Amino acid sequence: GEMCESSCPKSPIRFRINEFTRLVPTPVHSVLWNDPEKEIVSFFNIGTLVFIFIITLVISSCSDKYGDFDIAESGLKYRIVERNESGQMPQIGDVLELNYSYETEKGKVLFESSESGRKYMKTLEHPAHTGGSIEDGLAMMHEGDSVIFKISAENFLLFSEKYGRLPEGVEALDQILIKVRLVNIMDQKDMEQY
């Protein structure tokens, strides 16, 4: 209410109320709208609710060129590109074969697993930091899933990828987009045969 009283012009609201009350039959009008002050308050309340709803929508969706990201319980931002519900999920200690790449939000590619020409393998470990890590992300994937994760450069590069320092032109709070396809899960038995 307070915000609106100072920032909303009164005359258009009064005009809209008068227009509205003219359309309402008199008996209903006398029951619902007998106090002109209440008319203003009811319209302010509706306006305030709509305003709060819009602000909530804006804040809760993190949108960029890859679309909307959901937020996991851990705080990890992710967007599912392809989901294979029937695929198995990895456990800590499993070795994962991945298609794995990451880049800055501005599109500067920092790593691309396909460039090595070999299978890219990564052991699933416990989360390297709080607030949503790539380890949290890998643990929630199924075999065959493709997901894009969004994590700060500091957390992802220094803690999970164990960089000695951030690459040139990348700041600690810059968001890194990590594109992952979980190709295959190998447990300890598979690895012994491998």
Side-chain angles (χ1 to χ4, degrees):
E2 286 176 16
M3 273 173 44
C4 234
E5 279 168 26
S6 58
S7 61
C8 298
K10 290 220 163 69
S11 52
I13 290 168
R14 281 207 179 276
F15 172 74
R16 287 217 317 269
I17 293 165
N18 292 342
E19 287 276 293
F20 177 72
T21 53
R22 227 181 294 148
L23 299 173
V24 178
T26 313
V28 179
H29 173 266
S30 58
V31 174
L32 293 178
W33 307 102
N34 53 359
D35 182 350
E37 287 308 306
K38 279 187 185 156
E39 293 176 24
I40 296 291
V41 169
S42 65
F43 268 89
F44 273 137
N45 289 348
I46 291 165
T48 306
L49 284 175
V50 169
F51 178 75
I52 289 167
F53 178 69
I54 289 168
I55 290 297
T56 307
L57 277 184
V58 169
I59 290 169
S60 65
S61 70
C62 354
S63 212
D64 63 16
K65 68 174 178 172
Y66 291 106
D68 292 338
F69 281 74
D70 293 306
I71 300 177
E73 248 177 78
S74 62
L76 178 64
K77 294 174 188 168
Y78 68 97
R79 179 172 171 265
I80 295 166
V81 178
E82 196 179 330
R83 182 59 116 185
N84 176 25
E85 293 286 357
S86 61
Q88 76 176 92
M89 296 175 79
Q91 307 294 318
I92 299 291
D94 287 349
V95 176
L96 314 181
E97 182 190 336
L98 307 170
N99 292 344
Y100 192 69
S101 67
Y102 46 89
E103 62 187 57
T104 65
E105 275 192 305
K106 293 172 186 157
K108 180 183 178 183
V109 177
L110 301 172
F111 178 79
E112 179 71 70
S113 66
S114 61
E115 287 177 2
S116 72
R118 290 180 310 198
K119 289 182 177 180
Y120 180 80
M121 317 299 270
K122 190 176 184 70
T123 302
L124 180 58
E125 297 173 352
H126 290 283
H129 59 86
T130 57
S133 67
I134 191 63
E135 295 84 8
D136 291 315
L138 293 171
M140 65 189 239
M141 293 179 76
H142 301 78
E143 219 170 39
D145 283 357
S146 286
V147 183
I148 299 171
F149 300 103
K150 191 194 281 194
I151 304 172
S152 77
E154 181 177 41
N155 283 341
F156 175 67
L157 296 174
L158 300 184
F159 296 122
S160 292
E161 292 297 301
K162 300 179 174 63
Y163 275 51
R165 58 186 175 80
L166 291 173
E168 199 176 321
V170 178
E171 301 292 326
L173 295 179
D174 287 354
Q175 296 295 297
I176 302 295
L177 297 166
I178 305 109
K179 301 173 191 176
V180 184
R181 180 178 182 80
L182 179 46
V183 179
N184 191 17
I185 298 171
M186 290 184 279
D187 57 21
Q188 294 305 322
K189 282 183 194 166
D190 295 331
M191 282 307 290
E192 282 161 22
Q193 291 168 9
Y194 197 79

Short mmCIF file of all heavy atoms in Angstrom, two decimals, residues 3-68:
data_model
loop_
_atom_site.label_atom_id
_atom_site.label_comp_id
_atom_site.label_asym_id
_atom_site.label_seq_id
_atom_site.Cartn_x
_atom_site.Cartn_y
_atom_site.Cartn_z
N MET A 3 3.89 1.95 -1.00
CA MET A 3 4.61 2.26 -2.24
C MET A 3 3.69 2.93 -3.24
O MET A 3 4.03 3.88 -3.89
CB MET A 3 5.12 0.96 -2.87
CG MET A 3 6.46 0.55 -2.34
SD MET A 3 6.91 -1.05 -2.96
CE MET A 3 6.48 -0.93 -4.67
N CYS A 4 2.48 2.36 -3.31
CA CYS A 4 1.59 2.82 -4.35
C CYS A 4 1.07 4.23 -4.10
O CYS A 4 0.87 4.97 -5.03
CB CYS A 4 0.43 1.84 -4.50
SG CYS A 4 0.28 1.28 -6.19
N GLU A 5 0.83 4.56 -2.81
CA GLU A 5 0.24 5.87 -2.54
C GLU A 5 1.14 6.99 -3.01
O GLU A 5 0.68 8.00 -3.48
CB GLU A 5 -0.03 6.00 -1.03
CG GLU A 5 -1.34 5.30 -0.65
CD GLU A 5 -1.50 5.16 0.83
OE1 GLU A 5 -0.92 5.98 1.57
OE2 GLU A 5 -2.21 4.24 1.25
N SER A 6 2.47 6.79 -2.93
CA SER A 6 3.36 7.87 -3.33
C SER A 6 3.65 7.81 -4.83
O SER A 6 3.89 8.82 -5.45
CB SER A 6 4.66 7.80 -2.54
OG SER A 6 5.25 6.55 -2.76
N SER A 7 3.62 6.60 -5.41
CA SER A 7 4.08 6.51 -6.79
C SER A 7 2.97 6.40 -7.82
O SER A 7 3.19 6.63 -8.98
CB SER A 7 5.02 5.32 -6.94
OG SER A 7 4.33 4.14 -6.63
N CYS A 8 1.75 6.00 -7.41
CA CYS A 8 0.69 5.82 -8.40
C CYS A 8 -0.16 7.09 -8.50
O CYS A 8 -0.58 7.61 -7.48
CB CYS A 8 -0.22 4.65 -8.03
SG CYS A 8 0.66 3.10 -7.98
N PRO A 9 -0.42 7.55 -9.72
CA PRO A 9 -1.28 8.73 -9.85
C PRO A 9 -2.70 8.37 -9.42
O PRO A 9 -3.18 7.29 -9.74
CB PRO A 9 -1.22 9.06 -11.34
CG PRO A 9 -0.76 7.80 -12.00
CD PRO A 9 0.00 7.01 -10.98
N LYS A 10 -3.37 9.29 -8.68
CA LYS A 10 -4.69 8.97 -8.14
C LYS A 10 -5.79 9.09 -9.20
O LYS A 10 -6.70 8.30 -9.24
CB LYS A 10 -4.99 9.90 -6.96
CG LYS A 10 -4.12 9.61 -5.74
CD LYS A 10 -4.95 9.72 -4.49
CE LYS A 10 -4.30 9.06 -3.30
NZ LYS A 10 -3.15 9.61 -2.74
N SER A 11 -5.67 10.08 -10.08
CA SER A 11 -6.79 10.34 -10.97
C SER A 11 -7.12 9.17 -11.91
O SER A 11 -8.27 8.80 -12.03
CB SER A 11 -6.58 11.63 -11.76
OG SER A 11 -5.32 11.58 -12.37
N PRO A 12 -6.11 8.53 -12.56
CA PRO A 12 -6.48 7.43 -13.45
C PRO A 12 -7.16 6.31 -12.68
O PRO A 12 -8.07 5.67 -13.18
CB PRO A 12 -5.14 6.94 -14.00
CG PRO A 12 -4.18 8.05 -13.76
CD PRO A 12 -4.69 8.80 -12.59
N ILE A 13 -6.75 6.08 -11.43
CA ILE A 13 -7.35 5.00 -10.65
C ILE A 13 -8.80 5.34 -10.34
O ILE A 13 -9.69 4.53 -10.53
CB ILE A 13 -6.53 4.74 -9.36
CG1 ILE A 13 -5.19 4.12 -9.74
CG2 ILE A 13 -7.29 3.83 -8.42
CD1 ILE A 13 -4.18 4.06 -8.65
N ARG A 14 -9.03 6.58 -9.91
CA ARG A 14 -10.42 7.00 -9.64
C ARG A 14 -11.26 6.87 -10.90
O ARG A 14 -12.38 6.40 -10.86
CB ARG A 14 -10.44 8.46 -9.16
CG ARG A 14 -10.07 8.61 -7.71
CD ARG A 14 -10.71 9.85 -7.11
NE ARG A 14 -10.36 9.96 -5.71
CZ ARG A 14 -11.00 9.34 -4.74
NH1 ARG A 14 -12.02 8.55 -5.01
NH2 ARG A 14 -10.62 9.48 -3.49
N PHE A 15 -10.68 7.24 -12.05
CA PHE A 15 -11.40 7.18 -13.30
C PHE A 15 -11.79 5.73 -13.59
O PHE A 15 -12.92 5.43 -13.91
CB PHE A 15 -10.53 7.74 -14.44
CG PHE A 15 -11.14 7.55 -15.81
CD1 PHE A 15 -12.21 8.33 -16.21
CD2 PHE A 15 -10.67 6.57 -16.67
CE1 PHE A 15 -12.78 8.14 -17.46
CE2 PHE A 15 -11.23 6.38 -17.90
CZ PHE A 15 -12.29 7.16 -18.31
N ARG A 16 -10.81 4.81 -13.37
CA ARG A 16 -11.08 3.40 -13.66
C ARG A 16 -12.15 2.86 -12.72
O ARG A 16 -13.00 2.10 -13.13
CB ARG A 16 -9.79 2.57 -13.50
CG ARG A 16 -8.77 2.78 -14.59
CD ARG A 16 -8.04 1.51 -14.98
NE ARG A 16 -7.62 0.69 -13.84
CZ ARG A 16 -6.45 0.80 -13.25
NH1 ARG A 16 -5.56 1.69 -13.63
NH2 ARG A 16 -6.14 0.02 -12.23
N ILE A 17 -12.13 3.29 -11.48
CA ILE A 17 -13.12 2.81 -10.52
C ILE A 17 -14.50 3.33 -10.93
O ILE A 17 -15.47 2.58 -10.94
CB ILE A 17 -12.77 3.28 -9.09
CG1 ILE A 17 -11.50 2.57 -8.64
CG2 ILE A 17 -13.90 2.98 -8.14
CD1 ILE A 17 -10.86 3.17 -7.43
N ASN A 18 -14.56 4.61 -11.28
CA ASN A 18 -15.85 5.17 -11.68
C ASN A 18 -16.40 4.44 -12.91
O ASN A 18 -17.58 4.13 -12.98
CB ASN A 18 -15.71 6.67 -11.99
CG ASN A 18 -15.42 7.45 -10.72
OD1 ASN A 18 -15.66 6.93 -9.63
ND2 ASN A 18 -14.88 8.65 -10.85
N GLU A 19 -15.53 4.16 -13.87
CA GLU A 19 -15.95 3.42 -15.06
C GLU A 19 -16.52 2.07 -14.65
O GLU A 19 -17.55 1.64 -15.12
CB GLU A 19 -14.73 3.13 -15.95
CG GLU A 19 -14.19 4.34 -16.69
CD GLU A 19 -14.95 4.58 -17.98
OE1 GLU A 19 -14.84 3.74 -18.88
OE2 GLU A 19 -15.68 5.58 -18.07
N PHE A 20 -15.79 1.40 -13.74
CA PHE A 20 -16.18 0.06 -13.31
C PHE A 20 -17.52 0.11 -12.56
O PHE A 20 -18.41 -0.68 -12.83
CB PHE A 20 -15.09 -0.51 -12.39
CG PHE A 20 -15.42 -1.86 -11.81
CD1 PHE A 20 -15.43 -2.99 -12.63
CD2 PHE A 20 -15.75 -1.99 -10.48
CE1 PHE A 20 -15.75 -4.22 -12.11
CE2 PHE A 20 -16.07 -3.23 -9.97
CZ PHE A 20 -16.08 -4.36 -10.78
N THR A 21 -17.66 1.08 -11.64
CA THR A 21 -18.88 1.11 -10.82
C THR A 21 -20.09 1.47 -11.68
O THR A 21 -21.20 1.06 -11.38
CB THR A 21 -18.75 2.12 -9.66
OG1 THR A 21 -18.36 3.38 -10.20
CG2 THR A 21 -17.73 1.66 -8.65
N ARG A 22 -19.88 2.20 -12.77
CA ARG A 22 -20.99 2.53 -13.65
C ARG A 22 -21.54 1.27 -14.31
O ARG A 22 -22.72 1.17 -14.61
CB ARG A 22 -20.50 3.51 -14.73
CG ARG A 22 -21.47 4.68 -14.88
CD ARG A 22 -21.02 5.63 -15.94
NE ARG A 22 -19.78 6.27 -15.55
CZ ARG A 22 -18.85 6.66 -16.40
NH1 ARG A 22 -18.98 6.46 -17.68
NH2 ARG A 22 -17.75 7.24 -15.97
N LEU A 23 -20.65 0.28 -14.54
CA LEU A 23 -21.09 -0.95 -15.22
C LEU A 23 -21.79 -1.92 -14.26
O LEU A 23 -22.49 -2.81 -14.69
CB LEU A 23 -19.87 -1.66 -15.82
CG LEU A 23 -19.09 -0.86 -16.86
CD1 LEU A 23 -17.83 -1.63 -17.24
CD2 LEU A 23 -19.94 -0.63 -18.09
N VAL A 24 -21.55 -1.76 -12.95
CA VAL A 24 -22.14 -2.68 -11.97
C VAL A 24 -23.56 -2.24 -11.65
O VAL A 24 -23.80 -1.06 -11.39
CB VAL A 24 -21.29 -2.69 -10.67
CG1 VAL A 24 -21.89 -3.60 -9.63
CG2 VAL A 24 -19.87 -3.10 -10.99
N PRO A 25 -24.56 -3.17 -11.67
CA PRO A 25 -25.95 -2.78 -11.36
C PRO A 25 -26.04 -2.17 -9.95
O PRO A 25 -25.28 -2.52 -9.07
CB PRO A 25 -26.70 -4.12 -11.40
CG PRO A 25 -25.81 -5.07 -12.13
CD PRO A 25 -24.42 -4.57 -11.98
N THR A 26 -27.01 -1.28 -9.76
CA THR A 26 -27.08 -0.48 -8.55
C THR A 26 -27.15 -1.31 -7.27
O THR A 26 -26.42 -1.02 -6.34
CB THR A 26 -28.27 0.51 -8.60
OG1 THR A 26 -28.20 1.13 -9.87
CG2 THR A 26 -28.19 1.54 -7.50
N PRO A 27 -27.98 -2.37 -7.16
CA PRO A 27 -28.04 -3.09 -5.88
C PRO A 27 -26.66 -3.65 -5.49
O PRO A 27 -26.24 -3.50 -4.36
CB PRO A 27 -29.01 -4.25 -6.16
CG PRO A 27 -29.79 -3.85 -7.36
CD PRO A 27 -28.91 -2.92 -8.15
N VAL A 28 -25.97 -4.26 -6.44
CA VAL A 28 -24.65 -4.81 -6.14
C VAL A 28 -23.70 -3.66 -5.79
O VAL A 28 -22.92 -3.74 -4.86
CB VAL A 28 -24.11 -5.59 -7.37
CG1 VAL A 28 -22.73 -6.13 -7.06
CG2 VAL A 28 -25.06 -6.73 -7.73
N HIS A 29 -23.82 -2.59 -6.55
CA HIS A 29 -22.97 -1.42 -6.33
C HIS A 29 -23.11 -0.92 -4.89
O HIS A 29 -22.13 -0.65 -4.22
CB HIS A 29 -23.35 -0.32 -7.33
CG HIS A 29 -22.63 0.96 -7.07
ND1 HIS A 29 -23.16 1.97 -6.31
CD2 HIS A 29 -21.40 1.39 -7.46
CE1 HIS A 29 -22.31 2.97 -6.25
NE2 HIS A 29 -21.24 2.65 -6.94
N SER A 30 -24.34 -0.86 -4.41
CA SER A 30 -24.55 -0.30 -3.08
C SER A 30 -23.99 -1.24 -2.01
O SER A 30 -23.55 -0.80 -0.97
CB SER A 30 -26.04 -0.03 -2.82
OG SER A 30 -26.76 -1.23 -2.98
N VAL A 31 -24.00 -2.57 -2.27
CA VAL A 31 -23.47 -3.51 -1.28
C VAL A 31 -21.93 -3.50 -1.30
O VAL A 31 -21.29 -3.40 -0.27
CB VAL A 31 -23.97 -4.95 -1.59
CG1 VAL A 31 -23.30 -5.95 -0.67
CG2 VAL A 31 -25.47 -5.02 -1.42
N LEU A 32 -21.34 -3.56 -2.52
CA LEU A 32 -19.89 -3.73 -2.63
C LEU A 32 -19.11 -2.43 -2.54
O LEU A 32 -18.01 -2.40 -2.05
CB LEU A 32 -19.54 -4.41 -3.96
CG LEU A 32 -19.98 -5.86 -4.13
CD1 LEU A 32 -19.59 -6.35 -5.51
CD2 LEU A 32 -19.36 -6.75 -3.08
N TRP A 33 -19.66 -1.36 -3.10
CA TRP A 33 -18.85 -0.17 -3.32
C TRP A 33 -19.42 1.07 -2.66
O TRP A 33 -19.32 2.15 -3.20
CB TRP A 33 -18.70 0.10 -4.83
CG TRP A 33 -18.19 -1.08 -5.58
CD1 TRP A 33 -18.90 -1.94 -6.35
CD2 TRP A 33 -16.84 -1.54 -5.62
NE1 TRP A 33 -18.08 -2.90 -6.87
CE2 TRP A 33 -16.81 -2.68 -6.45
CE3 TRP A 33 -15.64 -1.10 -5.04
CZ2 TRP A 33 -15.65 -3.39 -6.69
CZ3 TRP A 33 -14.50 -1.81 -5.31
CH2 TRP A 33 -14.49 -2.94 -6.12
N ASN A 34 -20.06 0.89 -1.48
CA ASN A 34 -20.71 2.05 -0.88
C ASN A 34 -19.72 3.04 -0.28
O ASN A 34 -20.05 4.18 -0.06
CB ASN A 34 -21.75 1.61 0.18
CG ASN A 34 -21.14 0.67 1.20
OD1 ASN A 34 -19.97 0.34 1.11
ND2 ASN A 34 -21.96 0.23 2.15
N ASP A 35 -18.48 2.61 -0.02
CA ASP A 35 -17.49 3.52 0.58
C ASP A 35 -16.40 3.81 -0.45
O ASP A 35 -15.64 2.92 -0.81
CB ASP A 35 -16.89 2.85 1.82
CG ASP A 35 -15.89 3.75 2.53
OD1 ASP A 35 -15.53 4.80 1.96
OD2 ASP A 35 -15.48 3.40 3.64
N PRO A 36 -16.33 5.06 -0.96
CA PRO A 36 -15.34 5.37 -2.00
C PRO A 36 -13.90 5.10 -1.55
O PRO A 36 -13.06 4.74 -2.34
CB PRO A 36 -15.54 6.86 -2.29
CG PRO A 36 -16.58 7.34 -1.34
CD PRO A 36 -17.14 6.20 -0.59
N GLU A 37 -13.61 5.25 -0.23
CA GLU A 37 -12.24 4.98 0.23
C GLU A 37 -11.90 3.51 0.06
O GLU A 37 -10.80 3.15 -0.30
CB GLU A 37 -12.09 5.37 1.72
CG GLU A 37 -12.04 6.87 1.96
CD GLU A 37 -11.00 7.56 1.07
OE1 GLU A 37 -9.83 7.14 1.11
OE2 GLU A 37 -11.36 8.49 0.33
N LYS A 38 -12.87 2.64 0.30
CA LYS A 38 -12.64 1.19 0.17
C LYS A 38 -12.38 0.84 -1.29
O LYS A 38 -11.64 -0.09 -1.59
CB LYS A 38 -13.83 0.40 0.69
CG LYS A 38 -13.80 0.26 2.20
CD LYS A 38 -14.89 -0.66 2.69
CE LYS A 38 -14.90 -0.67 4.21
NZ LYS A 38 -16.19 -1.04 4.75
N GLU A 39 -13.03 1.57 -2.20
CA GLU A 39 -12.81 1.31 -3.63
C GLU A 39 -11.31 1.47 -3.94
O GLU A 39 -10.70 0.61 -4.54
CB GLU A 39 -13.57 2.30 -4.50
CG GLU A 39 -15.08 2.16 -4.41
CD GLU A 39 -15.78 3.25 -5.22
OE1 GLU A 39 -15.15 3.78 -6.15
OE2 GLU A 39 -16.92 3.56 -4.91
N ILE A 40 -10.76 2.58 -3.48
CA ILE A 40 -9.34 2.87 -3.75
C ILE A 40 -8.47 1.77 -3.14
O ILE A 40 -7.61 1.21 -3.79
CB ILE A 40 -8.93 4.24 -3.14
CG1 ILE A 40 -9.69 5.39 -3.81
CG2 ILE A 40 -7.43 4.45 -3.26
CD1 ILE A 40 -9.31 5.64 -5.24
N VAL A 41 -8.75 1.42 -1.87
CA VAL A 41 -7.95 0.42 -1.15
C VAL A 41 -8.00 -0.91 -1.89
O VAL A 41 -6.97 -1.54 -2.11
CB VAL A 41 -8.46 0.26 0.30
CG1 VAL A 41 -7.82 -0.95 0.95
CG2 VAL A 41 -8.13 1.52 1.09
N SER A 42 -9.19 -1.34 -2.33
CA SER A 42 -9.28 -2.65 -2.99
C SER A 42 -8.46 -2.65 -4.27
O SER A 42 -7.80 -3.62 -4.57
CB SER A 42 -10.74 -3.02 -3.27
OG SER A 42 -11.28 -2.11 -4.20
N PHE A 43 -8.48 -1.55 -5.02
CA PHE A 43 -7.69 -1.50 -6.25
C PHE A 43 -6.20 -1.47 -5.95
O PHE A 43 -5.41 -2.09 -6.63
CB PHE A 43 -8.10 -0.29 -7.11
CG PHE A 43 -9.17 -0.64 -8.10
CD1 PHE A 43 -10.50 -0.55 -7.76
CD2 PHE A 43 -8.83 -1.13 -9.36
CE1 PHE A 43 -11.48 -0.89 -8.66
CE2 PHE A 43 -9.81 -1.48 -10.27
CZ PHE A 43 -11.15 -1.36 -9.92
N PHE A 44 -5.82 -0.74 -4.87
CA PHE A 44 -4.41 -0.72 -4.48
C PHE A 44 -3.95 -2.12 -4.10
O PHE A 44 -2.88 -2.55 -4.47
CB PHE A 44 -4.19 0.21 -3.27
CG PHE A 44 -3.96 1.63 -3.68
CD1 PHE A 44 -4.58 2.67 -3.01
CD2 PHE A 44 -3.14 1.95 -4.75
CE1 PHE A 44 -4.37 3.98 -3.39
CE2 PHE A 44 -2.92 3.25 -5.14
CZ PHE A 44 -3.55 4.28 -4.45
N ASN A 45 -4.78 -2.85 -3.34
CA ASN A 45 -4.40 -4.19 -2.91
C ASN A 45 -4.18 -5.12 -4.09
O ASN A 45 -3.23 -5.86 -4.14
CB ASN A 45 -5.44 -4.78 -1.96
CG ASN A 45 -5.41 -4.07 -0.61
OD1 ASN A 45 -4.49 -3.32 -0.35
ND2 ASN A 45 -6.42 -4.30 0.20
N ILE A 46 -5.09 -5.06 -5.06
CA ILE A 46 -4.95 -5.90 -6.26
C ILE A 46 -3.67 -5.52 -6.99
O ILE A 46 -2.87 -6.38 -7.36
CB ILE A 46 -6.19 -5.75 -7.18
CG1 ILE A 46 -7.41 -6.38 -6.49
CG2 ILE A 46 -5.94 -6.41 -8.53
CD1 ILE A 46 -8.73 -5.99 -7.11
N GLY A 47 -3.44 -4.22 -7.15
CA GLY A 47 -2.24 -3.74 -7.84
C GLY A 47 -0.98 -4.20 -7.14
O GLY A 47 -0.03 -4.65 -7.77
N THR A 48 -0.99 -4.11 -5.80
CA THR A 48 0.18 -4.51 -5.02
C THR A 48 0.45 -6.01 -5.20
O THR A 48 1.58 -6.42 -5.40
CB THR A 48 -0.03 -4.19 -3.53
OG1 THR A 48 -0.36 -2.82 -3.43
CG2 THR A 48 1.22 -4.46 -2.72
N LEU A 49 -0.61 -6.82 -5.15
CA LEU A 49 -0.46 -8.26 -5.31
C LEU A 49 0.12 -8.60 -6.68
O LEU A 49 1.03 -9.41 -6.80
CB LEU A 49 -1.81 -8.98 -5.14
CG LEU A 49 -2.30 -9.11 -3.70
CD1 LEU A 49 -3.68 -9.71 -3.65
CD2 LEU A 49 -1.33 -9.97 -2.89
N VAL A 50 -0.41 -7.96 -7.71
CA VAL A 50 0.08 -8.21 -9.07
C VAL A 50 1.56 -7.81 -9.17
O VAL A 50 2.39 -8.54 -9.70
CB VAL A 50 -0.76 -7.43 -10.12
CG1 VAL A 50 -0.09 -7.46 -11.48
CG2 VAL A 50 -2.16 -8.01 -10.19
N PHE A 51 1.89 -6.66 -8.58
CA PHE A 51 3.27 -6.16 -8.60
C PHE A 51 4.21 -7.15 -7.91
O PHE A 51 5.25 -7.52 -8.45
CB PHE A 51 3.31 -4.79 -7.88
CG PHE A 51 4.68 -4.20 -7.78
CD1 PHE A 51 5.28 -3.63 -8.89
CD2 PHE A 51 5.36 -4.20 -6.58
CE1 PHE A 51 6.56 -3.08 -8.81
CE2 PHE A 51 6.64 -3.66 -6.49
CZ PHE A 51 7.22 -3.10 -7.60
N ILE A 52 3.81 -7.65 -6.73
CA ILE A 52 4.63 -8.61 -5.99
C ILE A 52 4.80 -9.89 -6.81
O ILE A 52 5.88 -10.45 -6.90
CB ILE A 52 4.00 -8.92 -4.60
CG1 ILE A 52 4.15 -7.70 -3.70
CG2 ILE A 52 4.64 -10.15 -3.95
CD1 ILE A 52 3.33 -7.73 -2.45
N PHE A 53 3.71 -10.35 -7.44
CA PHE A 53 3.74 -11.57 -8.25
C PHE A 53 4.74 -11.42 -9.41
O PHE A 53 5.56 -12.28 -9.65
CB PHE A 53 2.34 -11.86 -8.78
CG PHE A 53 2.26 -13.06 -9.67
CD1 PHE A 53 2.45 -14.34 -9.17
CD2 PHE A 53 2.02 -12.92 -11.03
CE1 PHE A 53 2.40 -15.45 -9.98
CE2 PHE A 53 1.96 -14.03 -11.85
CZ PHE A 53 2.15 -15.30 -11.33
N ILE A 54 4.70 -10.28 -10.10
CA ILE A 54 5.60 -10.05 -11.24
C ILE A 54 7.05 -10.01 -10.77
O ILE A 54 7.91 -10.65 -11.36
CB ILE A 54 5.22 -8.74 -11.98
CG1 ILE A 54 3.89 -8.95 -12.72
CG2 ILE A 54 6.30 -8.32 -12.96
CD1 ILE A 54 3.25 -7.70 -13.24
N ILE A 55 7.31 -9.29 -9.67
CA ILE A 55 8.67 -9.20 -9.14
C ILE A 55 9.18 -10.60 -8.77
O ILE A 55 10.31 -10.97 -9.09
CB ILE A 55 8.71 -8.28 -7.89
CG1 ILE A 55 8.48 -6.82 -8.31
CG2 ILE A 55 10.03 -8.41 -7.14
CD1 ILE A 55 9.55 -6.25 -9.23
N THR A 56 8.32 -11.42 -8.14
CA THR A 56 8.70 -12.78 -7.75
C THR A 56 9.08 -13.59 -8.99
O THR A 56 10.08 -14.30 -8.98
CB THR A 56 7.54 -13.48 -7.02
OG1 THR A 56 7.13 -12.64 -5.94
CG2 THR A 56 7.95 -14.84 -6.47
N LEU A 57 8.29 -13.47 -10.04
CA LEU A 57 8.60 -14.20 -11.28
C LEU A 57 9.95 -13.79 -11.83
O LEU A 57 10.76 -14.63 -12.21
CB LEU A 57 7.53 -13.91 -12.35
CG LEU A 57 6.25 -14.72 -12.29
CD1 LEU A 57 5.36 -14.36 -13.46
CD2 LEU A 57 6.56 -16.22 -12.34
N VAL A 58 10.20 -12.50 -11.86
CA VAL A 58 11.46 -11.98 -12.42
C VAL A 58 12.64 -12.50 -11.61
O VAL A 58 13.63 -12.96 -12.16
CB VAL A 58 11.46 -10.43 -12.45
CG1 VAL A 58 12.83 -9.88 -12.75
CG2 VAL A 58 10.45 -9.93 -13.47
N ILE A 59 12.52 -12.45 -10.28
CA ILE A 59 13.63 -12.86 -9.42
C ILE A 59 13.85 -14.38 -9.50
O ILE A 59 14.97 -14.84 -9.54
CB ILE A 59 13.37 -12.44 -7.95
CG1 ILE A 59 13.47 -10.92 -7.86
CG2 ILE A 59 14.35 -13.10 -7.00
CD1 ILE A 59 12.99 -10.35 -6.56
N SER A 60 12.76 -15.16 -9.57
CA SER A 60 12.92 -16.61 -9.45
C SER A 60 13.42 -17.28 -10.73
O SER A 60 13.91 -18.38 -10.69
CB SER A 60 11.60 -17.26 -9.02
OG SER A 60 10.65 -17.07 -10.03
N SER A 61 13.28 -16.64 -11.88
CA SER A 61 13.78 -17.32 -13.08
C SER A 61 15.10 -16.69 -13.50
O SER A 61 15.21 -15.48 -13.59
CB SER A 61 12.76 -17.20 -14.21
OG SER A 61 12.69 -15.87 -14.68
N CYS A 62 16.11 -17.54 -13.70
CA CYS A 62 17.38 -17.01 -14.17
C CYS A 62 17.45 -17.38 -15.64
O CYS A 62 17.62 -18.53 -15.98
CB CYS A 62 18.58 -17.64 -13.45
SG CYS A 62 18.15 -18.72 -12.11
N SER A 63 17.30 -16.41 -16.47
CA SER A 63 17.19 -16.67 -17.89
C SER A 63 18.39 -16.11 -18.64
O SER A 63 18.87 -15.06 -18.29
CB SER A 63 15.91 -16.01 -18.39
OG SER A 63 15.37 -16.74 -19.44
N ASP A 64 18.87 -16.83 -19.63
CA ASP A 64 19.90 -16.29 -20.51
C ASP A 64 19.77 -16.97 -21.86
O ASP A 64 18.72 -17.51 -22.17
CB ASP A 64 21.30 -16.46 -19.90
CG ASP A 64 21.69 -17.91 -19.70
OD1 ASP A 64 21.04 -18.77 -20.31
OD2 ASP A 64 22.64 -18.17 -18.96
N LYS A 65 20.84 -16.97 -22.67
CA LYS A 65 20.71 -17.50 -24.03
C LYS A 65 20.39 -18.99 -24.05
O LYS A 65 19.97 -19.52 -25.05
CB LYS A 65 21.97 -17.20 -24.85
CG LYS A 65 23.22 -17.93 -24.40
CD LYS A 65 24.37 -17.69 -25.36
CE LYS A 65 25.62 -18.39 -24.87
NZ LYS A 65 26.70 -18.34 -25.84
N TYR A 66 20.60 -19.68 -22.91
CA TYR A 66 20.27 -21.11 -22.85
C TYR A 66 18.88 -21.34 -22.25
O TYR A 66 18.52 -22.46 -21.96
CB TYR A 66 21.33 -21.86 -22.05
CG TYR A 66 22.65 -21.92 -22.76
CD1 TYR A 66 23.72 -21.14 -22.36
CD2 TYR A 66 22.82 -22.73 -23.88
CE1 TYR A 66 24.93 -21.17 -23.03
CE2 TYR A 66 24.02 -22.77 -24.56
CZ TYR A 66 25.07 -21.99 -24.13
OH TYR A 66 26.26 -22.03 -24.81
N GLY A 67 18.12 -20.28 -22.02
CA GLY A 67 16.79 -20.45 -21.45
C GLY A 67 16.80 -20.38 -19.93
O GLY A 67 17.74 -19.91 -19.33
N ASP A 68 15.72 -20.87 -19.34
CA ASP A 68 15.55 -20.78 -17.89
C ASP A 68 16.32 -21.88 -17.17
O ASP A 68 16.37 -23.01 -17.64
CB ASP A 68 14.07 -20.90 -17.53
CG ASP A 68 13.28 -19.69 -18.01
OD1 ASP A 68 13.91 -18.64 -18.21
OD2 ASP A 68 12.06 -19.81 -18.18
#
